[in-house]
Amino acid sequence: MKSVRTAALPGLQTLPQWWEHRSVRISIQALLVVIFSTAAAFGKSIHPAMGIPGSSALYWLGPMVLGAAVMRWKGSGVLMGVGVGLWTVPFGLHNAMGYNMMLYGGSGLLIDLIANLPGVNIRNPFGAVVIGLGAHLAKFAFIMSAAAMSSVTRHFLIVGVLNSLGLHSAFGIAAGFCGWAVFRLGQGAGKKLLS
């Protein structure tokens, strides 16, 4: 049976023995969750306000798809999404922290669920696009259900819903593809460095 380091990085036999320890791997995974959730929250906070529904997905969902592709760890999507919510105050994200934890945590849950479907591989463009689309539509559904419960915004809910759905779909697909593209570039750069 292959060791963890041989299975994780084929062709690289020189990793130190400490990598074999479970606590080290879990610590690195936790650090990666923090890094990618921070990148997603930072991206959400700096995206330019264009007034186009769903356009921020490239900034927050792209890093989450990339993080899930790098980690390939069940539950990493949910943890990254909840992490984005935890960064609400430091990054000045819209909405309350609990709302954002549910909003982005739900998107992360969809990343995890779709990534575990047979035939869906987050490390190829089709899988990343499907995952990005599903995760962004989960966010859209969450926002729409919250808006439907609000007496203030209910009267404008019908206007522009299909347009907004289309834009969320397009930006979700684009975010998934961008996450995959960055993963692929990093993978290629890593192979060049190691050869």
Side-chain angles (χ1 to χ4, degrees):
M1 180 173 211
K2 288 183 177 180
S3 71
V4 172
R5 65 179 163 207
T6 306
L9 299 167
L12 184 62
Q13 305 290 329
T14 60
L15 284 176
Q17 197 65 20
W18 54 263
W19 181 254
E20 295 291 334
H21 295 286
R22 184 171 187 244
S23 60
V24 170
R25 289 193 315 273
I26 290 172
S27 298
I28 290 171
Q29 292 285 17
L31 180 62
L32 288 172
V33 167
V34 170
I35 289 168
F36 285 110
S37 66
T38 303
F42 177 71
K44 176 67 178 169
S45 72
I46 65 162
H47 88 279
M50 296 183 278
I52 302 171
S55 62
S56 67
L58 296 171
Y59 296 87
W60 68 268
L61 184 54
M64 285 181 63
V65 171
L66 172 61
V70 168
M71 288 185 272
R72 304 256 322 192
W73 187 41
K74 291 182 182 183
S76 63
V78 171
L79 291 174
M80 285 185 292
V82 170
V84 172
L86 290 173
W87 286 110
T88 295
V89 174
F91 285 111
L93 302 180
H94 300 292
N95 305 314
M97 184 184 295
Y99 180 91
N100 281 338
M101 288 173 68
M102 290 187 298
L103 182 67
Y104 296 106
S107 294
L109 177 63
L110 260 286
I111 289 172
D112 290 336
L113 292 175
I114 297 170
N116 286 307
L117 290 175
V120 177
N121 182 358
I122 195 167
R123 292 184 172 180
N124 74 38
F126 175 75
V129 163
V130 168
I131 289 166
L133 174 64
H136 207 221
L137 290 181
K139 180 179 180 263
F140 177 74
F142 186 88
I143 291 168
M144 294 306 290
S145 63
M149 290 182 231
S150 168
S151 60
V152 175
T153 58
R154 189 177 304 171
H155 66 279
F156 356 13
L157 189 60
I158 304 304
V159 180
V161 168
L162 290 178
N163 182 37
S164 185
L165 175 63
L167 288 168
H168 274 79
S169 298
F171 283 113
I173 288 169
F177 184 78
C178 287
W180 169 82
V182 171
F183 172 78
R184 188 69 176 175
L185 286 171
Q187 196 177 36
K191 284 180 183 176
K192 285 182 182 178
L193 282 172
L194 297 174
S195 59

